[in-house]
Amino acid sequence: FGSSLPDLLAPRLPDRGKAAPIPAMALRLAALRRFCSKPMPLGVDKAGASVTASLRNASESIKSFNFSRYFEEKYFWEKANVGPFFLLLLFTPTIYRSLKDAYWTRQLRKMNTEEIISDRYEWLKVSMIQDEVEASLLSQVPAGGIQPLMLGPSSPH
């Protein structure tokens, strides 16, 4: 092979003669530049500060929400953001149905497990009673065994 590792890792230009390898230092600088923050114009806050400011503004708007002012007729139809309210009205049946289905699925799954366990205990109880009855009947068998029951004489007259 004869090539060193930096020569193998260095990108080459398409076959236009002998391509010069990129020095390892340039590759390190390019990798380091990936982890640096993006350049921002002067006077613009950093991205993290704007996120915290927007979260602060959202929490302030939630705290200052007033139901009586929101549902006042003039404010509701002219200034209020009614989209979330109407979306809630539209999707309330679907949300209710899905929550109800999830509740009853959980309850029936729980009841099904309890019924399976109860059925197994009942089967075990019946099996134990059958075993006791068979054991008591086998202890009453005469020494010669049980003779077959004959209805009438064994030979005709």
Side-chain angles (χ1 to χ4, degrees):
F1 293 103
S3 297
S4 65
L5 186 60
D7 290 337
L8 292 175
L9 296 177
R12 304 224 181 250
L13 297 174
D15 295 329
R16 292 185 194 150
K18 177 79 173 156
I22 297 175
M25 184 67 181
L27 289 176
R28 277 190 233 129
L29 287 175
L32 181 63
R33 195 175 311 146
R34 286 185 195 157
F35 296 110
C36 295
S37 63
K38 301 275 186 237
M40 302 280 291
L42 292 176
V44 176
D45 292 337
K46 295 201 180 242
S50 64
V51 170
T52 57
S54 65
L55 287 176
R56 190 176 304 115
N57 289 341
S59 67
E60 292 291 329
S61 66
I62 291 171
K63 289 177 186 175
S64 67
F65 183 77
N66 187 355
F67 278 100
S68 61
R69 190 184 77 166
Y70 182 79
F71 287 105
E72 183 180 88
E73 185 175 1
K74 185 173 181 176
Y75 182 83
F76 185 80
W77 292 115
E78 293 178 4
K79 297 179 185 172
N81 181 11
V82 295
F85 177 72
F86 284 111
L87 286 176
L88 179 66
L89 282 180
L90 179 68
F91 289 112
T92 295
T94 305
I95 293 168
Y96 173 76
R97 194 175 305 119
S98 62
L99 290 175
K100 184 178 75 169
D101 289 346
Y103 171 79
W104 283 113
T105 300
R106 185 170 181 231
Q107 292 298 329
L108 291 175
R109 189 175 294 146
K110 184 177 170 185
M111 188 178 75
N112 192 19
T113 304
E114 291 172 356
E115 284 181 355
I116 289 171
I117 293 171
S118 173
D119 288 346
R120 288 179 181 171
Y121 276 117
E122 187 176 335
W123 172 83
L124 181 62
K125 181 180 174 186
V126 168
S127 296
M128 288 172 61
I129 291 173
Q130 285 177 348
D131 290 344
E132 288 178 15
V133 168
E134 288 175 5
S136 67
L137 288 176
L138 285 176
S139 68
Q140 296 174 4
V141 174
I146 298 175
Q147 299 300 321
L149 180 61
M150 299 290 287
L151 295 176
S154 60
S155 61
H157 289 344

